[in-house]
Amino acid sequence: MADSRLVDLSHEIEHGMVTYRGLPSPAISDWLSREASSTRYAAGTTFQIGKIDMLANTGTYIDAPFHRYNDGRDIAGYVLEAIADLPGVVVRASPGARRAIDVSRFKEYDVRGKAVLVHTGWDAHWRTDTYSGGQHPFLTKDAAEYLVKAGTVLVGIDSLNIDDDKDGSRPAHTILLGAGVAIVEHMTNLAALPDTGFRFFAVPPRVKGMGSFPVRAFARLER
């Protein structure tokens, strides 16, 4: 649209990068190289066919209820209306040493029917030891409960995990995904967004049997 602009909110995925320390990194290679393809086509005509082996939880990705619940909707089950062209609101919540982002951070916002993007600034540490060093910001149980009751449809965060990774019960995932609220983790560039006045998109391929998958998350800002 001539009267709008797009803002990318996703990390690049590249060979060998680390999203979660200790988990396998993506392996990106040629299945068919340009050199090899030269024997298949006319002189001067080449193609590349790539191959990637990676975990679903790589880069910026979306979680579906199946990520947490065996009988939950999988990635392919998301209707576009649940993950695309959503009115968005950015919650500025840099918690500092406290780490926990509680319900008090959300009560001043109108979140009903919206994608709520939590801007912590933790993406500044992406691909460093600090990023996955156990001190990332996260949502508390009461914050997740409030967002569900208030009618939020999607919650995103620019941090390692929407939960405290030291808490094995994963309350934010449990509550949000249990209510059908989509989660987008490892976002970036939220500082480039206004607090409101944008539409949010986080659409994965329609892959059956997957609870998470990378997305190209972005916002459309109205001028």
Side-chain angles (χ1 to χ4, degrees):
M1 292 183 178
D3 60 347
S4 66
R5 67 183 180 93
L6 303 179
V7 177
D8 200 334
L9 305 172
S10 301
H11 291 291
E12 282 188 337
I13 295 174
E14 63 178 288
H15 178 80
M17 64 173 271
V18 174
T19 300
Y20 276 97
R21 191 167 55 194
L23 297 183
S25 299
I28 301 173
S29 60
D30 290 338
W31 181 82
L32 179 68
S33 69
R34 294 194 182 278
E35 181 181 13
S37 77
S38 65
T39 64
R40 299 189 178 201
Y41 304 101
T45 302
T46 63
F47 293 92
Q48 185 264 2
I49 299 177
K51 175 184 174 183
I52 183 168
D53 181 8
M54 70 177 183
L55 294 182
N57 296 54
T58 297
T60 303
Y61 57 80
I62 191 167
D63 290 338
F66 184 65
H67 181 49
R68 173 65 178 80
Y69 297 98
N70 186 57
D71 59 351
R73 178 180 59 233
D74 64 8
I75 290 297
Y78 270 132
V79 297
L80 286 175
E81 290 78 6
I83 53 178
D85 202 22
L86 301 172
V89 57
V90 177
V91 175
R92 312 291 176 186
S94 179
R98 288 186 60 245
R99 299 181 58 221
I101 301 167
D102 63 24
V103 65
S104 67
R105 300 294 189 114
F106 299 94
K107 288 192 171 181
E108 66 182 271
Y109 298 92
D110 174 14
V111 299
R112 181 165 298 278
K114 293 183 171 64
V116 176
L117 309 182
V118 184
H119 175 212
T120 72
W122 200 249
D123 58 324
H125 304 297
W126 176 247
R127 299 187 67 179
T128 70
D129 290 341
T130 299
Y131 189 80
S132 55
Q135 297 300 315
H136 68 277
F138 63 91
L139 265 60
T140 60
K141 179 180 179 182
D142 68 340
E145 290 172 339
Y146 174 80
L147 290 169
V148 167
K149 290 177 183 177
T152 302
V153 297
L154 180 150
V155 182
I157 193 167
D158 58 354
S159 181
L160 175 79
N161 200 306
I162 202 166
D163 273 302
D164 181 358
D165 65 353
K166 299 179 179 65
D167 184 349
S169 69
R170 296 295 198 269
H173 278 89
T174 298
I175 292 163
L176 294 171
L177 295 178
V181 177
I183 297 172
V184 181
E185 293 175 306
H186 307 281
M187 300 187 71
T188 190
N189 203 31
L190 294 180
L193 297 183
D195 292 351
T196 59
F198 63 91
R199 312 289 292 190
F200 179 69
F201 302 74
V203 182
R206 295 182 68 181
V207 183
K208 292 188 68 64
M210 301 291 279
S212 305
F213 210 85
V215 293
R216 186 72 176 265
F218 66 93
R220 187 180 76 234
L221 278 58
E222 301 303 326
R223 293 192 189 274

